[in-house]
Structures are given as structure tokens and as C-alpha cells.
Amino acid sequence: MTPHYHPHNLLVTGGAGFIGTNFVYYWLQQYPDTRVVVLDALTYAGCYENLLMLEGNSSFRFVEGDILDQTLVEQLLRDENIDTLVHFAAESHVDRSIYGPDAFLKTNIDGTHSLLKAAKKVWLDEKSDFTHRFHHVSTDEVYGTLSATDPAFTEITPYAPNSPYAASKAASDHVVRAYQHTYGLQTTTSNCSNNYGPYQYPEKLIPLAISNLLQGKAVPIYGDGQQIRDWLYVDDHNRGIDLIIRSGRVGETYNIGGNNEQANLSLIHELCALLDARFPDSQHVPHNQHITYVTDRPGHDRRYAIDNSKICRELGYEPIETFQSGLAKTVAWYLERPAFWQGDVKLFGAH
């Protein structure tokens, strides 16, 4: 497949967070002749130290700032001659959205709209025939929940968000669509399944479980643990975004999934077995003795599943990692960096 869009200067929002950090490293490795500017507010889940290896790289710049600061975004678009905006910045933890929804609506809806206004002003109002891309990163949670026998989510599945987080992302998806349809902003959107991999803040299920199991602490499992998610290794996600930016059709949405449906409890048992094999003499063996069941969270979606046939068919996408290979890589990364997960982290239950 011959790419028909060639990004030169990227603005990556939320580039010091989990997926954003991995995307920045992925992109600069794949395209070292391009330039990446990261804009991140460095909230609790964003960490500048994630990007320290890029200090001194002339193709990289970090800017601490808020996506709600439209003037700053406009200045960056102009000064850096940005032609591609990749929008990761979001409040993303469902539990936090249940107990504090205001921040989710502000960041995910108002923040996305602020970026769209800045892009429209600089790319459309101030320039003529300027080729650009605004890629919006969203989630499968906008589609709601599935029963065990329902077909997987497709790009035409009706939206039915069930948490404040999902509702805020659904709203942002609609605003992006409106700016493409009404103003002609050159947008694309991806809705991904549950990501895992390096740099994930240890409030999410996999890094939380790794951290607690290694320390002999309880691993909290909501309800009966049979909530099913489609697990996507983060660099498989980034390869999908890459394909969409370079070869996707403007105005289109693409679902990115890992073809790895796993029940939460099965996932944790697999992780326990991996750690048992890695540390057979540990006092915490068998690690599954630390599994603890806690009261289910309000409105907990039962199953997510992604049908990624559109991106596979149109753009040649296929996930590379199996769940086993991705999980092994993830565990190895956290084992090499205990300081990342041994800090004072306020944790909720497992996602």
C-alpha cells in the first residue's frame, strides 16, 4: 500500500501519558526525519520522565500545557508548522469518572473542542488548501456493552455509552465528526479496545496486578471477574494509528482491536502463572492466592469486543502481538523498572 498522506510535523497531545508516550517513541523510530511536539498538562497519569530518552533529540520538543489553552495550541500549530495533530489527551479511568465526572467532561469534551477550534482557525481560516490531519483517538466504550453472544462492535454500531467516561468520549467523537462535516477539517478517528504495555499508570488492571502480585498484595477483582475485554498491545494500536493517518480516508472512523478477548479473571490467572514460572521460589507463589473479589462497580459493562475487519481490509492492518507475547513483554518492562510502580499510587478496583 502506497501512503497518500505524508506527515512532517506532528503535535501529539497527551504524549507523556501511557499510549501517547509509546506512540512518540514508535513514531520517531519509524520516521526519524519527521518532527514531534508533545503537549501534555502532566496530570497524575502524565509523566515527563517517560520521555527523558528523547532529550537532546532535535526532532522532539516537549511543551507543558493544557489542551484547553486554545491560544497556546494555535501558537504551536503556527510556530512549529504542524500539519498533523494526534489527540491522545484524555481523562480515561472509568472508576474516576464515576466518582468525579466533571473533569472528564471538561477535558474530553471541552478540551477536544478547544483543539478543533485551534486547528480550524490555523489550518482552514488562515491558510488555503493546506493539507493536514486531525486524528482523534477514542475508545470502544462509546458503543456500550455486549452480551456473550452479541457480534463485536463495528464502526456502525450505535453509540450507547454507560459511564461518564464513555459518554464524554462519545461526545468528543461527535464533535470531531461535526468539524469534518461542517467545516471540512481533515479528520480521522480510531476507536480502540483495552490497551496494555509499557508506561501504563498502575491504576489499570494489568500494571495494578503486576505491582500488587510482586509485593504480595491483594489483587482486587470486580464482581465475578467474568467481564470480557479485547486486549490490544500498545504498539499494535500505534501501528493502526500510523496506517490511519497515512492511508485512512478523511472523515472515516476505524476500529482497532487486538483479537484477544479475555475475561478479567482469566487474564489475572494467566499473569499469576507467568509470575509463578518467573519466580518459583518467591514467598508469594502461588500468586493466585492474592486474588480478592470486591463489590462490582456501578454500571460495569459486561463485554467489549472489536470487529477490526474494516482497518484490516482497507489498510492492511493486523495485530502482531499475541496476548501471551504482549503480556510477557509488559511484565518484563515493569520488572526492569520497579520505581515506576512502587510509588504512592491511589488505586481503585481492577478495570
Side-chain angles (χ1 to χ4, degrees):
M1 180 185 305
T2 302
H4 61 259
Y5 176 69
H6 300 275
H8 299 288
N9 301 308
L10 282 70
L11 177 62
V12 179
T13 69
F18 162 45
I19 306 176
T21 292
N22 282 280
F23 177 81
V24 170
Y25 282 119
Y26 165 88
W27 189 271
L28 287 175
Q29 182 177 28
Q30 295 294 319
Y31 309 107
D33 294 334
T34 61
R35 178 166 173 77
V36 172
V37 179
V38 167
L39 176 65
D40 199 295
L42 297 182
T43 59
Y44 77 95
C47 180
Y48 176 71
E49 286 74 13
N50 290 351
L51 301 166
L52 282 178
M53 287 187 289
L54 293 173
E55 283 192 342
N57 186 331
S58 61
S59 297
F60 170 78
R61 178 189 173 192
F62 178 81
V63 177
E64 182 176 354
D66 197 315
I67 59 174
L68 285 155
D69 187 344
Q70 183 180 339
T71 300
L72 172 61
V73 175
E74 290 175 5
Q75 180 182 344
L76 290 173
L77 294 177
R78 295 187 192 100
D79 293 351
E80 297 285 351
N81 195 28
I82 299 294
D83 54 34
T84 305
L85 194 156
V86 189
H87 178 33
F88 291 99
E91 293 284 348
S92 67
H93 192 41
V94 176
D95 289 13
R96 290 180 184 270
S97 81
I98 292 171
Y99 300 106
D102 289 13
F104 286 72
L105 273 63
K106 181 177 180 181
T107 297
N108 298 351
I109 302 174
D110 294 344
T112 300
H113 188 211
S114 179
L115 292 173
L116 289 164
K117 288 188 290 182
K120 174 183 177 294
K121 183 173 182 179
V122 175
W123 288 343
L124 299 182
D125 299 345
E126 297 178 4
K127 299 181 179 181
S128 61
D129 300 323
F130 181 71
T131 301
H132 60 270
R133 288 292 185 277
F134 184 112
H135 182 74
H136 176 58
V137 180
S138 191
T139 173
D140 56 359
E141 297 193 36
V142 300
Y143 300 121
T145 188
L146 298 169
S147 73
T149 57
D150 285 334
F153 300 131
T154 71
E155 290 80 1
I156 61 172
T157 298
Y159 276 29
N162 290 321
S163 70
Y165 161 64
S168 69
K169 291 298 290 185
S172 68
D173 293 2
H174 292 319
V175 179
V176 172
R177 173 184 168 86
Y179 265 69
Q180 190 279 321
H181 184 79
T182 301
Y183 303 112
L185 199 68
Q186 294 164 18
T187 70
T188 50
T189 296
S190 56
N191 294 81
C192 69
S193 56
N194 278 40
N195 278 223
Y196 69 102
Y199 297 103
Q200 189 169 28
Y201 189 74
E203 68 183 354
K204 299 296 181 74
L205 177 55
I206 290 179
L208 168 62
I210 293 171
S211 171
N212 284 14
L213 290 170
L214 290 173
Q215 299 178 83
K217 298 179 181 179
V219 176
I221 297 292
Y222 277 136
D224 61 4
Q226 296 306 309
Q227 302 87 2
I228 294 173
R229 303 293 183 258
D230 176 10
W231 291 92
L232 174 66
Y233 189 70
V234 65
D235 270 348
D236 279 336
H237 183 193
N238 290 328
R239 290 191 310 104
I241 293 173
D242 181 3
L243 287 168
I244 295 168
I245 291 172
R246 297 172 68 84
S247 303
R249 290 181 287 143
V250 170
E252 289 293 309
T253 293
Y254 296 87
N255 284 350
I256 307 176
N259 300 332
N260 282 307
E261 286 189 57
Q262 298 272 345
N264 284 347
L265 185 59
S266 298
L267 182 159
I268 296 302
H269 277 294
E270 189 160 349
L271 180 57
C272 288
L274 193 158
L275 292 176
D276 286 350
R278 181 74 178 264
F279 302 105
D281 299 325
S282 169
Q283 61 180 329
H284 307 310
V285 171
H287 285 84
N288 61 15
Q289 67 180 297
H290 301 293
I291 294 174
T292 302
Y293 296 90
V294 299
T295 302
D296 209 352
R297 75 177 175 214
H300 200 172
D301 290 340
R302 194 64 174 172
R303 173 177 170 244
Y304 305 143
I306 283 280
D307 179 343
N308 62 5
S309 58
K310 178 178 177 179
I311 190 173
C312 293
R313 180 181 65 253
E314 293 190 9
L315 307 183
Y317 172 80
E318 286 292 340
I320 292 175
E321 300 293 342
T322 65
F323 187 66
Q324 290 71 28
S325 67
L327 191 61
K329 286 184 176 181
T330 302
V331 169
W333 188 89
Y334 282 98
L335 288 175
E336 291 169 2
R337 297 163 178 83
F340 189 87
W341 47 265
Q342 286 181 342
D344 181 19
V345 178
K346 181 182 180 183
L347 298 173
F348 296 87
H351 182 68

